[in-house]
Amino acid sequence: MPHFTVVPVKDQAQSNYDSLEGINWVDYRDTGQDCPDHQDSVSSDGHGNHKEDSPFLNNADAASKKNDFYDRNLALFEEELDIRPKVSSLLSRLVSYTNITQGAKEHEEAESAEASRRKTPKSPNMGTLMGVYLPCLQNIFGVILFLRLTWIVGMAGIMQSLLIVLMCCSCTMLTAISMSAIATNGVVPAGGAYFMISRSLGPEFGGAVGLCFYLGTTFASAMYILGAIEIFLKYLVPQAAIFHATDTLGSDSAMLNNMRVYGSICLSLMAVVVFVGVKYVNKLASLFLACVIISIVSIYAGAFKSMTHPPEFPICMLGNRTLVRDRFDVCAKTVIKGNITVPSQLWERFCLPGNMSGTQCDDYFIQNNVTEIQGIPGLGSGIIRENMWGDYQQKGEILEKAGLQSVDAHGAMENFGMYVSADIATSFTLLVGIFFPSATGIMAGSNRSGDLRDAQKSIPVGTILAITTTSLVYFSSVVLFGSCIEGVVLRDKFGDAVRKNLVVGTLSWPSPWVIVIGSFFSTVGAGLQSLTGAPRLLQAIAKDNIIPFLRVGQYTLLIDTFDLHCSELGILIASLDMVAPILSIHFLISLFGVMCHTHRALSFLGMSMCLALMFISSWYYAIVAMVIAGMIYKYIEYQGAEKEWGDGIRGLSLSAARYALLRLEVGPPHTKNWRPQLLVLLKLDEDLHVKYPRLLTFASQLKAGKGLTIVGSVVQGNFLESYGEMQAAEQTIKNMMEIERVKGFCQIVVASKVREGIVHLIQSCGLGGMKHNTVMMGWPYGWRQSEDPRAWKTFINTVRCTTAGHLALMVPKNVSFYPSNHERFTDGNIDVWWIVHDGGMLMLLPFLLKLHKVWRKCKMRIFTVAQMDDNSIQMKKDLATFLYQLRIEAEVEVVEMHDSDISAYTYERTLMMEQRSQMLRQMRLSGAERQREAQLVKDRHSLVRMGSLYSDEEEEVVEAPPEKVQMTWTREKCEAERRNRNNAPENFRELMSLKPDQSNVRRMHTAVKLNEVIVNRSHDARLVLLNMPGPPRNTDGDENYMEFLEVLTEGLERVLLVRGGGREVITIYS
């Protein structure tokens, strides 16, 4: 056990204990406040200590109290105590937070600060038994156990019934294990499954599953009401029926109409109770639970009593067919009255009155005998062998007992009402859907977590124990029903063969009325609790503000009204067997969402079982429910949820991404899989605004949301001092990416030199196999007018870096004229000038561009250049064949360039280029210019500025000169300065007599001739793609290289200079 030393302190220090750090607890989850944006609230003190707003710390007071007294033992941390509080202070706030009761009503009041101050919450004091176990029992046991379980056993048999129970109970058990993992991870306020799913899987998933859970709860109230009305009209007061069948075939429709009328009346009465006195419903919960327990105990008592004294419920059989027992008095064809044999009521049902000859009787009635068998043979009768396997029925099929002698004869249709028949077609999948609602209700304990003394212990123990208890009851009930009750009685859904008695009631002890009355009150109570729980669930969703159209949900009356309308829809269906599968589907979706918090094997098994049960129960309902949940999910995602709870989807995404990255090959992909993975280098101005946003537009058109896109930029400065600028720049770029619909990542680098920062981006962006293979950058406009060589040297250095890294390069020139995403080109051409082979980049890029709606209607033309010794006709045929194999539709043209003499224009253009370069070089070498540059460095030394993407420090950072520059003139210095001034005219004359270099003349000749051809053919093209020549190996000619590119692209509106990465990117092989 750890030892603690208590150190006495002064009263003044003790009184300021809670305010040393100046922190207050702020719970953004419960109060509905928006969590502050961390990116907008980050500052730096210049030493790397970044101050951020914490989601539970209020730093408003910290600034004013940071100089207060601090514990001498924490002197090392005293400068950070405003953002990193002492553990003792944090724990004190945690304790006060977790002591707030977050049960049903208290949680709603805790969301309002005024209400929480006005009322002091009660301390939780409920244990496992009263808080979790009994509420779960009450919610799990329900109408299906009393009204449909015997019928399920009769139709499916004991073995398949046990399989149905095993499937449903295993699903809920796995859900309970996963739910316990969530519940023990923290406090679970009101909202139950919705709260757990939304806080663990995110607001989108939580909202979708929460609404499905809400719909399931509303349909549960409809199912309980329909069950109560069925008990009322079938077994309690059959005379209360309003609609009566005019013939034997219309009894079903009359019963459905009665269910609709009485169900609507019952729903209205329950709505009044819910509106007026919800607290009385909660107080009567114990009474309803007592009815359920007494009913179950009476079933077990009757089953064991049947071993020695089985109850008397005889069944009348005609041949092997079961007769409706309440339509006649004696199970015989004739009776003896005063020593005279007279026809019985049964005879009169099948024959004309007074006729004993049999000529006017039903053929089946005449040829078969009437027998009477015991409906409840008892536990020791051995009837279990006959009920072991299923006997599924079609709608209208008469219930027959195997083993009884029967003569097959055609019976009259008007006598069909005398037989007990199946009202619906049955199958294994239908029975699964009907039974599953009897396994739900496991969320009752988690909904009360705020009222539990020890929620982390009570919820797992109570929920799992409740599921174990109910599963044992279901398993044993299936075996007892199959061991005690005759098969035709089990298949008789409404007890027509046992004088309209509830089938399970015939087995109960001491009287069938125990089951009838107990099941009636339990179903009414369950319906009331569903009506009170569903609005609370919807209100919890509405108060989280994750679904915009539910923000009116704060009005309780409107929520209750919407709940009643949904329940009324279930009641209008009027069939318990039709409503139960709908309820099963919605509950299974909610359980599916909880299955993600245990071991991956259990989670996979549970989710697979939920999905299988959904489609087994009703595949069409499952598809509809999944479409509804998917639409809600996408709606919340599209609208943008206002909450961020640190959901587990991020963890799953990270795990999946890690798995995919590890499997992804680190080396270059196969040629068939190659696509441009972009690194877009953006330029920001002094105000951190994107200078050329059309670069992002073009990137989005090229990628169409597929592949990898990384948008990078460089902030010039020191990382410790420029951290805030870096985050501001990152947020600016992310906003622009969202506007231009670029799906990708943003990477900002802080470097002392922009050139070095770009190199860092090119080298380090990406992870594993997910790295960029193509760099996109803008053209350095205005480089001719600038005397600063940094304007174009950074650009050429980037070109060299991409070549060294075997990366492709794209340079959109005149990018401001490129189309936006809202424009459409209805005609025009995309011209590709394929001069040298670069791996196929020039072929691939227009193909990808044409996939976007902006460029879709443009036609593709490919031009290639033929020299004098080339066969242009054969080149055109080969190129057309190559494009056909690539499945690229394009018009092919071969341009012949004849050898011609170098024109005077080319000489003049080259001479002007070299003269300008020489002049600027001499200006940079002058000593006066160096001093002016040093003075500018001094003046700007204290400024923190954003460096241009295409400008950089040419020299190393020099020390700032002193305030006054004092020079001592000597005779040697004076003569040297005079000689420099005298040599200026000579330098000028030397400049004018300069002769151009022959290699530069040849390059200029090529640029001029190519430009003439390209402008002649592609002056009206929407976009021109052109091979970008590489920079010279000798860095002395860098400035001339820029001039060559300018000459090459003159007169073209939109040009995309493309440089391949040195590998093939397209192939004709499949």
Side-chain angles (χ1 to χ4, degrees):
M1 180 176 178
H3 298 278
F4 298 91
T5 303
V6 180
V7 180
V9 295
K10 297 181 181 180
D11 294 338
Q12 181 180 357
Q14 188 174 3
S15 62
N16 293 333
Y17 171 79
D18 291 334
S19 61
L20 288 181
E21 295 79 29
I23 62 173
N24 292 315
W25 183 275
V26 180
D27 187 4
Y28 293 106
R29 180 194 62 192
D30 290 338
T31 59
Q33 301 178 24
D34 291 329
C35 185
D37 191 351
H38 291 228
Q39 293 178 344
D40 296 336
S41 59
V42 178
S43 61
S44 175
D45 58 3
H47 300 284
N49 299 324
H50 309 296
K51 301 178 182 179
E52 303 182 10
D53 289 338
S54 174
F56 55 88
L57 298 176
N58 185 0
N59 293 329
D61 300 335
S64 62
K65 300 183 179 180
K66 64 184 298 181
N67 295 324
D68 286 352
F69 172 79
Y70 290 113
D71 197 326
R72 294 186 181 92
N73 295 328
L74 299 179
L76 283 175
F77 306 94
E78 63 183 12
E79 294 183 356
E80 295 182 325
L81 284 177
D82 55 344
I83 59 174
R84 292 179 173 87
K86 292 193 300 183
V87 174
S88 57
S89 183
L90 177 63
L91 291 178
S92 66
R93 275 127 184 103
L94 283 173
V95 170
S96 62
Y97 170 72
T98 54
N99 279 340
I100 299 177
T101 304
Q102 296 184 356
K105 186 176 180 181
E106 287 79 8
H107 170 64
E108 297 170 3
E109 291 180 350
E111 296 204 349
S112 171
E114 182 179 356
S116 62
R117 287 194 300 266
R118 187 169 57 246
K119 181 176 180 179
T120 303
K122 300 178 182 179
S123 59
N125 55 3
M126 299 185 70
T128 303
L129 181 65
M130 297 301 297
V132 181
Y133 179 71
L134 293 181
C136 285
L137 284 184
Q138 181 183 357
N139 282 268
I140 295 174
F141 287 133
V143 62
I144 302 297
L145 171 63
F146 302 116
L147 295 184
R148 292 293 183 269
L149 187 56
T150 55
W151 175 70
I152 291 173
V153 174
M155 291 294 179
I158 294 177
M159 298 303 296
Q160 293 188 28
S161 298
L162 291 175
L163 178 61
I164 292 173
V165 175
L166 178 63
M167 291 171 60
C168 297
C169 293
S170 299
C171 182
T172 54
M173 179 62 78
L174 291 174
T175 307
I177 295 173
S178 184
M179 183 190 68
S180 300
I182 307 174
T184 54
N185 198 35
V187 179
V188 182
Y194 157 72
F195 185 90
M196 290 185 290
I197 296 171
S198 62
R199 267 57 174 184
S200 56
L201 297 182
E204 296 88 358
F205 207 101
V209 176
L211 281 183
C212 289
F213 188 61
Y214 165 76
L215 292 176
T217 307
T218 56
F219 276 100
S221 63
M223 184 189 72
Y224 289 127
I225 291 174
L226 289 175
I229 299 303
E230 181 178 317
I231 296 172
F232 179 75
L233 291 178
K234 286 284 187 179
Y235 311 113
L236 285 177
V237 190
Q239 301 81 9
I242 301 175
F243 301 94
H244 300 278
T246 56
D247 55 7
T248 57
L249 299 178
S251 58
D252 291 341
S253 60
M255 182 62 185
L256 293 179
N257 290 330
N258 288 321
M259 297 281 283
R260 293 186 180 101
V261 172
Y262 279 99
S264 300
I265 295 173
C266 183
L267 178 62
S268 302
L269 295 176
M270 288 185 177
V272 173
V273 175
V274 170
F275 283 130
V276 174
V278 181
K279 58 181 180 179
Y280 299 109
V281 176
N282 296 328
K283 290 182 179 180
L284 291 174
S286 300
L287 175 62
F288 298 145
L289 177 61
C291 294
V292 173
I293 295 177
I294 292 174
S295 301
I296 294 174
V297 170
S298 68
I299 294 174
Y300 282 96
F304 288 110
K305 183 177 179 295
S306 66
M307 294 181 63
T308 56
H309 299 85
E312 292 293 331
F313 284 99
I315 306 171
C316 190
M317 308 291 295
L318 177 60
N320 62 353
R321 298 180 179 179
T322 309
L323 297 174
V324 179
R325 193 62 182 86
D326 64 332
R327 298 199 173 185
F328 53 89
D329 52 358
V330 179
C331 183
K333 293 184 178 181
T334 59
V335 294
I336 299 176
K337 292 185 178 180
N339 295 327
I340 300 175
T341 302
V342 296
S344 64
Q345 291 183 4
L346 183 62
W347 182 283
E348 294 176 354
R349 292 284 185 177
F350 285 93
C351 304
L352 293 177
N355 187 359
M356 291 287 294
S357 62
T359 56
Q360 300 295 325
C361 291
D362 185 271
D363 291 342
Y364 188 86
F365 178 76
I366 291 298
Q367 298 182 30
N368 287 277
N369 297 324
V370 176
T371 57
E372 195 173 58
I373 62 175
Q374 183 68 355
I376 313 294
L379 193 58
S381 62
I383 196 67
I384 187 174
R385 290 188 294 270
E386 298 181 11
N387 296 330
M388 191 63 68
W389 307 107
D391 186 12
Y392 296 107
Q393 307 283 321
Q394 297 297 320
K395 184 177 182 180
E397 185 177 348
I398 298 174
L399 300 186
E400 298 178 349
K401 176 176 172 56
L404 284 182
Q405 186 177 0
S406 173
V407 178
D408 191 12
H410 181 70
M413 192 64 191
E414 56 269 15
N415 295 324
F416 181 78
M418 291 296 299
Y419 301 109
V420 181
S421 60
D423 62 332
I424 59 172
T426 55
S427 62
F428 179 80
T429 58
L430 176 70
L431 299 183
V432 171
I434 292 176
F435 177 78
F436 187 79
S438 63
T440 58
I442 62 174
M443 304 292 180
S446 62
N447 291 345
R448 303 171 180 232
S449 63
D451 302 323
L452 299 174
R453 188 183 308 113
D454 187 359
Q456 294 186 344
K457 175 183 177 182
S458 298
I459 290 179
V461 173
T463 305
I464 294 176
L465 188 59
I467 294 176
T468 304
T469 303
T470 53
S471 300
L472 292 177
V473 170
Y474 287 140
F475 282 120
S476 59
S477 297
V478 168
V479 176
L480 289 178
F481 292 158
S483 304
C484 299
I485 305 176
E486 176 63 45
V488 290
V489 179
L490 289 174
R491 290 187 287 275
D492 183 7
K493 183 187 293 185
F494 302 113
D496 293 330
V498 287
R499 297 185 181 275
K500 300 290 184 181
N501 280 297
L502 184 62
V503 174
V504 69
T506 59
L507 185 61
S508 65
W509 179 88
S511 171
W513 289 102
V514 176
I515 294 290
V516 173
I517 297 175
S519 60
F520 177 77
F521 281 108
S522 67
T523 51
V524 170
L528 281 172
Q529 290 190 339
S530 296
L531 284 178
T532 57
R536 186 179 299 161
L537 175 60
L538 188 61
Q539 195 168 17
I541 299 175
K543 285 192 174 184
D544 276 339
N545 285 333
I546 63 171
I547 303 179
F549 68 81
L550 279 182
R551 285 172 184 167
V552 296
Q554 54 185 328
Y555 303 107
T556 307
L557 181 62
L558 185 60
I559 289 180
D560 290 339
T561 305
F562 183 71
D563 178 46
L564 295 178
H565 282 86
C566 293
S567 300
E568 181 64 22
L569 288 177
I571 290 175
L572 291 178
I573 297 176
S575 174
L576 183 65
D577 303 322
M578 296 296 292
V579 174
I582 301 176
L583 174 63
S584 300
I585 296 299
H586 287 96
F587 274 133
L588 280 167
I589 287 183
S590 62
L591 297 184
F592 182 87
V594 186
M595 289 282 189
C596 306
H597 301 87
T598 54
H599 190 270
R600 64 185 65 179
L602 290 179
S603 298
F604 177 76
L605 178 62
M607 288 189 289
S608 302
M609 190 171 293
C610 280
L611 198 63
L613 285 175
M614 286 171 60
F615 283 92
I616 287 175
S617 301
S618 177
W619 64 269
Y620 44 89
Y621 282 153
I623 293 176
V624 171
M626 293 174 70
V627 168
I628 293 174
M631 291 174 62
I632 297 172
Y633 181 94
K634 297 305 291 184
Y635 175 77
I636 299 174
E637 185 180 48
Y638 176 75
Q639 290 292 333
E642 298 180 2
K643 301 290 182 180
E644 180 58 49
W645 292 302
D647 54 84
I649 293 295
R650 290 181 178 271
L652 293 176
S653 301
L654 180 62
S655 178
R658 174 185 172 275
Y659 177 77
L661 284 172
L662 291 176
R663 287 182 59 89
L664 192 65
E665 51 184 332
V666 180
H670 191 271
T671 304
K672 291 186 291 186
N673 301 327
W674 197 95
R675 288 295 182 272
Q677 315 295 346
L678 293 182
L679 169 61
V680 183
L681 299 177
L682 282 187
K683 181 178 181 180
L684 302 179
D685 58 17
E686 290 77 7
D687 297 327
L688 301 181
H689 295 153
V690 178
K691 197 167 185 179
Y692 301 111
R694 286 298 168 87
L695 270 178
L696 290 176
T697 306
F698 185 69
S700 68
Q701 295 169 3
L702 183 65
K703 298 294 291 180
K706 299 177 182 179
L708 176 68
T709 302
I710 303 175
V711 182
S713 187
V714 179
V715 175
Q716 186 174 356
N718 184 278
F719 179 74
L720 298 180
E721 299 174 354
S722 305
Y723 182 78
E725 286 186 54
M726 184 190 74
Q727 286 205 321
E730 182 178 358
Q731 189 61 41
T732 300
I733 293 179
K734 285 183 177 180
N735 294 337
M736 187 57 65
M737 291 173 64
E738 185 176 355
I739 293 174
E740 298 296 338
R741 298 181 180 178
V742 177
K743 297 181 179 179
F745 308 96
C746 177
Q747 182 73 46
I748 306 295
V749 170
V750 179
S752 59
K753 294 182 179 181
V754 175
R755 185 187 306 177
E756 294 178 357
I758 294 176
V759 175
H760 295 333
L761 285 173
I762 293 175
Q763 291 184 86
S764 61
C765 279
L767 180 64
M770 286 294 290
K771 294 184 70 69
H772 58 278
N773 54 29
T774 305
V775 177
M776 179 186 292
M777 62 187 303
W779 179 261
Y781 303 101
W783 68 274
R784 282 173 171 169
Q785 290 75 23
S786 175
E787 297 179 357
D788 189 354
R790 296 171 299 179
W792 47 267
K793 283 199 172 184
T794 300
F795 174 81
I796 298 179
N797 184 70
T798 305
V799 176
R800 286 195 172 100
C801 288
T802 57
T803 304
H806 301 286
L807 303 175
L809 177 65
M810 291 187 294
V811 182
K813 198 171 179 225
N814 301 328
V815 72
S816 300
F817 296 102
Y818 278 53
S820 67
N821 287 325
H822 303 290
E823 299 180 36
R824 302 286 189 279
F825 286 145
T826 57
D827 56 2
N829 300 312
I830 299 177
D831 288 354
V832 177
W833 284 86
W834 192 16
I835 301 172
V836 295
H837 181 56
D838 58 352
M841 275 285 290
L842 286 173
M843 307 290 182
L844 182 62
L845 292 178
F847 173 78
L848 297 177
L849 276 177
K850 282 174 60 65
L851 298 177
H852 196 272
K853 56 189 176 182
V854 174
W855 307 91
R856 187 168 295 152
K857 295 186 178 181
C858 293
K859 295 181 180 179
M860 184 175 169
R861 297 191 302 182
I862 297 181
F863 298 89
T864 187
V865 176
Q867 303 299 324
M868 287 298 297
D869 54 348
D870 294 329
N871 187 345
S872 58
I873 298 176
Q874 187 63 36
M875 283 180 62
K876 186 173 182 179
K877 290 182 179 179
D878 294 342
L879 182 56
T881 304
F882 180 62
L883 294 177
Y884 174 76
Q885 292 172 339
L886 291 176
R887 295 180 299 173
I888 295 178
E889 296 181 4
E891 181 182 344
V892 177
E893 292 190 29
V894 177
V895 179
E896 295 181 354
M897 293 188 65
H898 302 285
D899 291 338
S900 61
D901 295 332
I902 298 175
S903 63
Y905 170 77
T906 303
Y907 273 106
E908 183 181 358
R909 193 73 182 262
T910 308
L911 183 60
M912 291 175 59
M913 175 186 70
E914 294 190 354
Q915 286 176 351
R916 179 181 180 276
S917 300
Q918 186 68 18
M919 184 185 301
L920 291 176
R921 190 177 297 111
Q922 290 179 1
M923 290 175 62
R924 287 195 297 270
L925 292 176
S926 65
E929 188 66 21
R930 283 181 175 273
Q931 290 188 3
R932 275 199 299 271
E933 185 67 19
Q935 186 66 27
L936 288 175
V937 171
K938 170 191 173 295
D939 295 338
R940 299 173 185 172
H941 182 69
S942 59
L943 297 179
V944 179
R945 59 186 179 88
M946 166 64 64
S948 170
L949 183 61
Y950 306 117
S951 64
D952 201 355
E953 297 285 350
E954 180 65 22
E955 294 82 19
E956 295 295 328
V957 178
V958 298
E959 294 294 331
E963 291 296 328
K964 292 183 178 181
V965 180
Q966 296 181 355
M967 300 183 65
T968 303
W969 286 92
T970 62
R971 181 182 299 275
E972 292 78 6
K973 289 184 179 180
C974 185
E975 291 177 355
E977 181 66 20
R978 187 179 298 111
R979 282 195 301 270
N980 289 335
R981 292 180 180 179
N982 293 333
N983 290 337
E986 295 178 5
N987 293 336
F988 180 74
R989 287 192 297 269
E990 181 182 325
L991 199 62
M992 297 305 295
S993 62
L994 184 68
K995 292 184 179 181
D997 184 77
Q998 289 301 316
S999 62
N1000 289 339
V1001 172
R1002 287 188 291 104
R1003 290 186 176 89
M1004 183 64 74
H1005 175 69
T1006 303
V1008 171
K1009 294 293 290 182
L1010 279 176
N1011 180 257
E1012 290 177 359
V1013 174
I1014 294 173
V1015 171
N1016 184 36
R1017 299 295 186 95
S1018 302
H1019 63 276
D1020 58 346
R1022 299 295 187 184
L1023 180 65
V1024 176
L1025 283 82
L1026 181 63
N1027 282 116
M1028 181 180 181
R1033 291 186 176 90
N1034 186 4
T1035 57
D1036 294 337
D1038 286 353
E1039 196 167 8
N1040 299 334
Y1041 171 72
M1042 296 297 298
E1043 187 68 28
F1044 294 148
L1045 294 181
E1046 286 283 8
V1047 173
L1048 185 62
T1049 57
E1050 274 183 350
L1052 299 175
E1053 183 180 11
R1054 302 183 191 93
V1055 184
L1056 180 62
L1057 296 173
V1058 180
R1059 183 166 174 79
R1063 58 160 296 158
E1064 295 291 334
V1065 299
I1066 56 174
T1067 179
I1068 62 175
Y1069 301 104
S1070 59

